[in-house]
Amino acid sequence: MIRRTFLAFAAMLATFPALVEAQEARALTDAERDLITRINEHNSLIKTMVGRFLQIDTRGQRIEGTFFLERPGKILFRYNPPSSEQIVSVGRGFYVVDRKEKTQYAYPQDKVPLRQFLDSQIDLFKANIVAVAQSDDYFSVTLQDDTPKGVVRVALVFDTESLDMKQWTLTEPSGSELTFSLYDVEKDVTIPKSYFYIDPTFRSKSAPPDA
């Protein structure tokens, strides 16, 4: 079984660790605010995305799969076989679904970092920005949420030229990190409605202890 709290859906390949380190909160510069504004505007125009992903956890375990995103609020992460698990948001919450076991468990959407990126109009300024960092090619924005399990941070990493999101790194309350990167991405494609579906016959179960 895939090792994750549900938060594992939001993590990325740690190719740029210097960009995602936590920093002391500070006021944004005008240049940083301008770049975040352009990131908001660019990504708000992308209504659907499909592509592949690579997930890496703290222990270096690598898991690949495909993802489908439709704004507002819908996303599917489908892990490659032999895994039968997938993570689905249908706009009112996130669900970890096991297609083989026919089970699912849910998390409230308002308690999951990255939810701002699923809005129809993205506005990262409405999130709790605690850090930003920049290299020649990449810009990261670190958001922080207080969850029932403790403080969670997610660092979104964007290409400074295309303004596309390339990866994100999530730090759990325990301090462990999960990373997730996107590639082979196609934008504004038609996604079957059936992809964003929770089978009502699947048995509900409690989230695992580390979720």
Side-chain angles (χ1 to χ4, degrees), residues 31-50:
E32 290 165 345
R33 293 188 67 86
D34 176 69
L35 183 52
I36 293 173
T37 296
R38 291 190 290 117
I39 286 170
N40 287 339
E41 293 172 349
H42 169 77
N43 287 280
S44 292
L45 293 174
I46 303 169
K47 298 308 179 184
T48 62
M49 294 171 57
V50 300

Side-chain angles (χ1 to χ4, degrees), residues 26-98:
R26 61 168 174 78
L28 298 173
T29 66
D30 289 344
E32 290 165 345
R33 293 188 67 86
D34 176 69
L35 183 52
I36 293 173
T37 296
R38 291 190 290 117
I39 286 170
N40 287 339
E41 293 172 349
H42 169 77
N43 287 280
S44 292
L45 293 174
I46 303 169
K47 298 308 179 184
T48 62
M49 294 171 57
V50 300
R52 303 174 68 186
F53 69 86
L54 171 64
Q55 175 185 295
I56 301 180
D57 66 16
T58 303
R59 298 172 299 176
Q61 181 182 11
R62 301 163 67 92
I63 305 170
E64 295 183 86
T66 54
F67 79 92
F68 306 84
L69 179 151
E70 180 179 312
R71 294 190 173 92
K74 297 179 181 179
I75 195 164
L76 167 65
F77 286 84
R78 181 179 291 160
Y79 292 88
N80 288 347
S83 173
S84 58
E85 290 190 332
Q86 61 186 33
I87 295 169
V88 187
S89 170
V90 293
R92 62 180 182 274
F94 292 88
Y95 298 80
V96 178
V97 176
D98 190 313

